[in-house]
Amino acid sequence: MLYFLYPLTDQFHALNLLRYITFRSGGAVVTALLISFVFGPRIIAWLKAKQGEGQPIRTDGPEGHLIRKKGTPTMGGFLILLALAVSTLLWADLRNPYVWITLLVTVSFGLIGFFDDYRKLTRRSHHGVPAKLKLLIEIVLAGGACLALAFVMRQPLANTVAVPFVKNFLLNLGWFFLPYGVLVIAGASNAVNLTDGLDGLAIGPSLIAIGCFGLISYLVGNTNYSEYLQLQHVPRAGELSVFCGALVGAGLGFLWFNAPPASVFMGDTGSLSIGAALGTISIITKHELVLAIIGGLFVLEAVSVIVQVASFKMTGRRVFRMAPLHHHFEQKGWEEPTIVIRFWIIASILAIAGLATLKLR
């Protein structure tokens, strides 16, 4: 849309607003939100009709889930991807390679999640695509994205990592940038996936993190702001603010239907794609390490699973009553809304801490 309207901005002054990233980001939020509200009920009704009994509930999970969540459809991430893709294509500058790379990575990981959810539904089991195969596909896709970014980015930004709290310093990883980038994208994707276990739990912190990286991408893409804050300037990265705006609008629209008690679950279709988007944007903006702070809640959830598995294999004992971490608190008797709200609070605190690093140089 923007590509075709740009030539008209000199003739129609009202269209000059399209030149401003902030205006288009706001437009992307509203558009994605409207798409979610208009198509959400129809998509949910269709998913429920097709899925019958809804998402298979783990028998080894919290007992209350077998009652409260039975019959709830999954694959709600399709609604997020639909609203995100349409809104991004309408409002973003499609001549920007970062927009295409991020959008393609997001949709690709969403497709992985879609097939995983589909396999779970057809087999009526919580076991979807084999874990090793899924991880292999994620590595290939993330590796392709990192190669594309290394090609698009100019020196000295290509193949480098910026360190928080240190100004004017880039650590050149050389070819090691490829496995590093794969770890960031695939790790973020699976960390968000592990967090998705309660109504509204994953989408809330995701919205907080996406909003933060929308701001970060705008700052690092603007010469004046990046110079003032002594951040690494990444030319053209500001356009990712529009993508983030679209994802925020899509996420808010989904949360409307995912709020407890949820009418639909996002499934791997949504969680894998959102995490991959966060990982990709963090690499482009040179804030991968800050993602570990802003998305600290996702890190905690992932670490809790790693610790639980490692402890059980080495000692035969469990550190937590159940992993991921949110299930541990469920087993301790915390109500689901209590866990969700408190985790949102933790995510907000970590986001503030992460944003504080922008000025501490």
Side-chain angles (χ1 to χ4, degrees):
M1 173 179 158
L2 175 65
Y3 179 79
F4 294 107
L5 291 179
Y6 255 172
L8 300 177
T9 55
D10 293 330
Q11 301 176 31
F12 302 95
H13 294 296
L15 293 179
N16 274 326
L17 286 172
L18 293 176
R19 296 184 180 273
Y20 295 99
I21 291 176
T22 49
F23 174 78
R24 289 186 285 111
S25 297
V29 173
V30 174
T31 302
L33 196 58
L34 289 175
I35 291 173
S36 300
F37 286 159
V38 172
F39 293 99
R42 301 176 188 179
I43 291 175
I44 293 172
W46 182 77
L47 290 173
K48 195 164 188 177
K50 291 294 182 181
Q51 296 178 16
E53 299 179 13
Q55 175 176 291
I57 308 300
R58 293 179 56 177
T59 55
D60 59 343
E63 294 181 3
H65 288 200
L66 295 172
I67 301 173
R68 296 194 306 270
K69 302 186 183 300
K70 184 178 181 180
T72 306
T74 186
M75 289 186 180
F78 174 75
L79 175 61
I80 298 176
L81 292 175
L82 174 66
L84 167 66
V86 173
S87 187
T88 300
L89 294 175
L90 281 175
W91 290 101
D93 185 350
L94 301 183
R95 297 166 296 181
N96 189 302
Y98 295 137
V99 171
W100 281 110
I101 292 172
T102 306
L103 183 60
L104 289 174
V105 169
T106 304
V107 173
S108 298
F109 273 74
L111 287 174
I112 297 174
F114 176 84
F115 287 115
D116 192 53
D117 290 334
Y118 181 78
R119 187 177 174 86
K120 291 175 183 176
L121 289 168
T122 54
R123 297 180 64 186
R124 299 308 308 166
S125 169
H126 65 273
H127 295 292
V129 176
K132 292 182 179 180
L133 175 60
K134 185 164 68 171
L135 182 60
L136 177 61
I137 298 173
E138 290 175 356
I139 290 173
V140 171
L141 291 174
C146 292
L147 287 174
L149 290 175
F151 177 77
V152 169
M153 281 187 170
R154 300 174 182 175
Q155 293 293 349
L157 294 176
N159 305 328
T160 59
V161 176
V163 181
F165 310 111
V166 181
K167 61 182 180 180
N168 300 323
F169 175 77
L170 286 171
L171 178 62
N172 195 320
L173 299 180
W175 282 103
F176 188 70
F177 175 79
L178 183 59
Y180 169 78
V182 168
L183 177 63
V184 172
I185 296 174
S189 178
N190 286 282
V192 175
N193 180 241
L194 289 171
T195 308
D196 182 30
L198 301 177
D199 298 349
L201 178 59
I203 192 64
S206 294
L207 287 170
I208 294 170
I210 294 160
C212 290
F213 272 92
L215 174 62
I216 290 172
S217 60
Y218 180 75
L219 294 175
V220 301
N222 186 292
T223 306
N224 295 327
Y225 288 128
S226 59
E227 182 178 345
Y228 170 71
L229 293 170
Q230 299 182 23
L231 304 174
Q232 296 295 335
H233 174 54
V234 183
R236 299 180 293 176
E239 197 65 28
L240 289 174
S241 298
V242 181
F243 176 90
C244 290
L247 191 48
V248 166
L252 286 172
F254 173 78
L255 180 57
W256 182 269
F257 303 105
N258 187 238
S263 301
V264 66
F265 301 139
M266 73 164 65
D268 288 11
T269 308
S271 57
L272 289 179
S273 57
I274 290 174
L278 282 169
T280 305
I281 295 171
S282 72
I283 291 175
I284 295 172
T285 57
K286 297 300 171 186
H287 278 72
E288 307 96 322
L289 301 180
V290 174
L291 174 61
I293 302 174
I294 292 177
L297 180 65
F298 303 132
V299 176
L300 288 173
E301 292 273 35
V303 169
S304 70
V305 174
I306 295 172
V307 170
Q308 184 85 325
V309 173
S311 176
F312 186 75
K313 286 187 174 181
M314 291 188 294
T315 66
R317 297 180 180 180
R318 293 179 172 86
V319 176
F320 305 101
R321 295 188 179 183
M322 187 176 291
L325 189 60
H326 55 267
H327 288 324
H328 169 76
F329 291 107
E330 271 194 295
Q331 296 295 77
K332 291 188 66 174
W334 289 23
E335 293 294 331
E336 183 171 334
T338 302
I339 299 172
V340 172
I341 296 300
R342 287 179 178 174
F343 274 42
W344 284 8
I345 293 172
I346 294 172
S348 300
I349 295 172
L350 291 171
I352 294 172
L355 290 177
T357 65
L358 301 181
K359 188 56 182 172
L360 299 176
R361 287 293 190 274

